[in-house]
Amino acid sequence: MTMHPSVTASPASVSLYDARPFFEKALQFGVQNGIIGRARLDAICADAPKGMVQIARYFGNEFLRPDIEKARDRIVNLVSLYLQSSCGGDLRKAAESLRDHSFLSRSKGGSDLLKALLALPESSSFHGRLDDGGAEPNGPPKGLAEWSLKSFADYQAELARRRPLQQQKDAAIWLADGLGMDAEELEEAHTHAEAVIRTALLAMATQRTEMPDWVEFEKMVAALRKKYRAARARAAAQAGKTVKTASAGARSLSLSLTLPLAIPGNLPEEFRDVVQAVLQSVLADLPQILESPLTARALFANDSEDQHPPLLGRYFWVEDIASEIEHHERAVSLAWDKATGGNCDDGSLLTLMVCVAAGAAPKTLLTEKAATALVRKIQKPGARNGFQPELARQYILDHAPAEHQEAYLQLWTDFVDEAQSTLQSDSSFALKDALALLRRECHVAA
């Protein structure tokens, strides 16, 4: 690496230098314009070999010629990067920087710029410590070896790409914190910033104080749809039209009345542009959220192999398996209680199961007339499927609380083993015997 460009360089040689690293152009400019003197040139020449050895040791082996040659390229590139970044491409300012500061300090400045770049996220995802892999404990940060040889244009492009990603993540962390969820929990959730921001905006607009889990997210969507239908009906009525023929203006008004989305008033200024952009995407999603015939699960969650949910991955909810199981069990229990009327004695359950197996409406109590009609349906000549025990078995599996299914299945199996031949008998006393069986085992009102 030549450190003494000629002070009397011709225009042709200057043109040659223009294709070289920014450091060399700044150095030549400084020498030609009397900014950099002999003493400073000597200092640079003394510092450069030391820096090259340090860099070769840091990235490889200072005793290997290829590593030393790469170190020469790296140190020139690092100094160029720092000078071009800090001086805005101004050769005079760059030359003055070389005059006023040591060569190694400019090299370290370039290295610090790259480390700061690599510390910025490569995506808006929260993914724990996955990016920490690949770097030695005491070695250079992952990617520094590659980036120390890249151009200033590459650095600027990557910086422009990564900075907004950092802002998105910081904004997501700020909003999530207001809903009781910290950065570490977001990392563990393996989500991405835009999804967190969208859900946070919806949650805050619906007066929620915590980041929703799936159960709460589903309730939030259901409440919004109910509010939207009511708002649209009012808007249509005010326009003197039916809901079906409501104008686009009424529809738009209904959307805004249903969910007056806005940026939080106390949002830090540096996050406003980022959150505003995501807010627009939520507004674009509102027609699907509020008007889609799909259920919330079919719209947002990846539960179907046959259909790709339209809004899959765009919104975030806390994965709380225990809460979802509890909610499912509670829903199953409520549905079962509704079907059985809260009656779980053997007689009520067998009455219900006999109705299901016979293809009749599930009931836990039969009148004498209804019982007679049920038996006649079962025993109707030529009716092969008048009594199908498997239907009742499947009904138990589909609707009964999981903790009781085994006992209910055993009760039903024992009943079928004993009663099926009587219920489906074609003897002259078949109706009388079957009714007597139902009165004994099930609930038949006198």
Side-chain angles (χ1 to χ4, degrees):
M1 178 172 63
T2 302
M3 290 297 179
H4 295 281
S6 173
V7 177
T8 59
S10 67
S13 63
V14 173
S15 177
L16 178 63
Y17 272 107
D18 284 343
R20 292 189 172 189
F22 187 77
F23 156 67
E24 295 193 25
K25 290 190 283 185
L27 183 64
Q28 183 191 17
F29 182 89
V31 171
Q32 288 177 333
N33 291 275
I35 299 171
I36 298 176
R38 177 61 58 184
R40 173 52 61 187
L41 282 174
D42 291 342
I44 291 175
C45 289
D47 284 344
K50 297 176 187 176
M52 288 164 55
V53 171
Q54 291 173 1
I55 289 174
R57 184 186 304 124
Y58 189 57
F59 288 104
N61 190 326
E62 70 269 34
F63 300 110
L64 296 179
R65 182 182 180 89
D67 287 358
I68 289 291
E69 290 176 349
K70 270 193 175 180
R72 178 192 60 199
D73 295 336
R74 283 194 170 102
I75 199 168
V76 170
N77 209 47
L78 291 173
V79 173
S80 296
L81 171 64
Y82 181 80
L83 293 175
Q84 203 159 359
S85 177
S86 62
C87 301
D90 188 312
L91 289 176
R92 180 171 294 279
K93 290 181 179 179
E96 291 171 351
S97 180
L98 287 172
R99 178 195 66 193
D100 298 337
H101 303 277
S102 72
F103 180 75
L104 294 183
S105 72
R106 306 302 83 181
S107 172
K108 182 180 184 303
S111 177
D112 290 344
L113 286 176
L114 289 181
K115 288 177 181 178
L117 171 71
L118 296 173
L120 295 173
E122 294 187 73
S123 74
S124 64
S125 299
F126 292 98
H127 38 45
R129 304 186 186 280
L130 295 180
D131 279 350
D132 290 348
E136 295 295 330
N138 298 318
K142 182 181 177 182
L144 185 59
E146 176 187 359
W147 276 97
S148 63
L149 294 170
K150 288 197 173 186
S151 69
F152 180 68
D154 290 335
Y155 166 80
Q156 284 185 307
E158 187 68 5
L159 188 63
R161 187 184 74 84
R162 293 195 187 203
R163 272 180 174 163
L165 299 175
Q166 183 66 64
Q167 286 186 319
Q168 283 183 350
K169 294 186 72 172
D170 289 343
I173 291 170
W174 189 92
L175 290 168
D177 185 65
L179 293 170
M181 192 170 192
D182 60 29
E184 185 175 347
E185 290 173 307
L186 290 176
E187 297 285 359
E188 291 173 356
H190 298 282
T191 182
H192 61 94
E194 297 97 319
V196 174
I197 295 172
R198 289 189 188 101
T199 294
L201 290 172
L202 282 181
M204 292 176 178
T206 53
Q207 309 304 312
R208 277 167 169 74
T209 57
E210 293 184 349
M211 188 68 75
D213 58 15
W214 170 252
V215 174
E216 288 302 313
F217 187 88
E218 198 170 25
K219 288 180 181 177
M220 183 169 67
V221 172
L224 286 171
R225 287 179 169 182
K226 182 177 180 181
K227 186 177 179 182
Y228 171 67
R229 286 192 293 269
R232 190 167 184 189
R234 287 195 302 272
Q238 291 171 2
K241 301 176 181 179
T242 65
V243 175
K244 290 183 179 179
T245 59
S247 66
R251 176 177 179 269
S252 176
L253 176 62
S254 302
L255 285 169
S256 62
L257 289 175
T258 301
L259 193 61
L261 283 170
I263 293 176
N266 60 339
L267 182 73
E269 188 63 34
E270 64 265 29
F271 301 148
R272 287 191 172 272
D273 289 345
V274 168
V275 175
Q276 181 63 43
V278 179
L279 174 61
Q280 295 306 311
S281 71
V282 178
L283 291 172
D285 288 343
L286 275 186
Q288 283 195 83
I289 294 173
L290 300 176
E291 298 176 340
S292 174
L294 298 174
T295 64
R297 188 167 288 277
L299 192 62
F300 294 97
N302 192 18
D303 276 4
S304 172
E305 295 180 359
D306 301 324
Q307 178 180 341
H308 182 76
L311 299 179
L312 176 66
R314 289 180 62 77
Y315 292 81
F316 168 73
W317 51 85
V318 178
E319 294 288 352
D320 188 343
I321 302 301
S323 173
E324 290 189 42
I325 291 174
E326 181 184 353
H327 175 73
H328 174 72
E329 291 177 346
R330 191 185 306 117
V332 168
S333 180
L334 289 173
W336 184 254
D337 286 346
K338 184 177 180 180
T340 61
N343 301 309
C344 293
D345 59 284
D346 289 356
S348 296
L349 294 174
L350 288 175
T351 305
L352 182 75
M353 294 302 105
V354 169
C355 290
V356 172
K363 296 180 180 178
T364 56
L365 176 64
L366 296 172
T367 63
E368 188 75 24
K369 183 178 179 180
T372 301
L374 189 67
V375 172
R376 283 177 174 162
K377 181 177 186 295
I378 293 172
Q379 296 180 346
K380 183 178 180 181
R384 296 182 179 180
N385 299 323
F387 185 73
Q388 301 181 69
E390 186 57 34
L391 292 179
R393 175 182 173 81
Q394 191 60 48
Y395 189 88
I396 293 171
L397 294 174
D398 290 342
H399 301 287
E403 64 269 24
H404 299 310
Q405 286 184 5
E406 185 176 353
Y408 294 167
L409 288 170
Q410 188 60 53
L411 173 67
W412 177 242
T413 298
D414 293 344
F415 173 82
V416 171
D417 289 346
E418 178 185 346
Q420 186 168 11
S421 60
T422 301
L423 289 173
Q424 294 184 296
S425 173
D426 58 357
S427 70
S428 55
F429 300 102
L431 177 61
K432 181 179 179 182
D433 291 344
L435 286 172
L437 172 69
L438 292 183
R439 294 189 192 101
R440 183 178 73 248
E441 300 291 343
C442 303
H443 287 329
V444 180

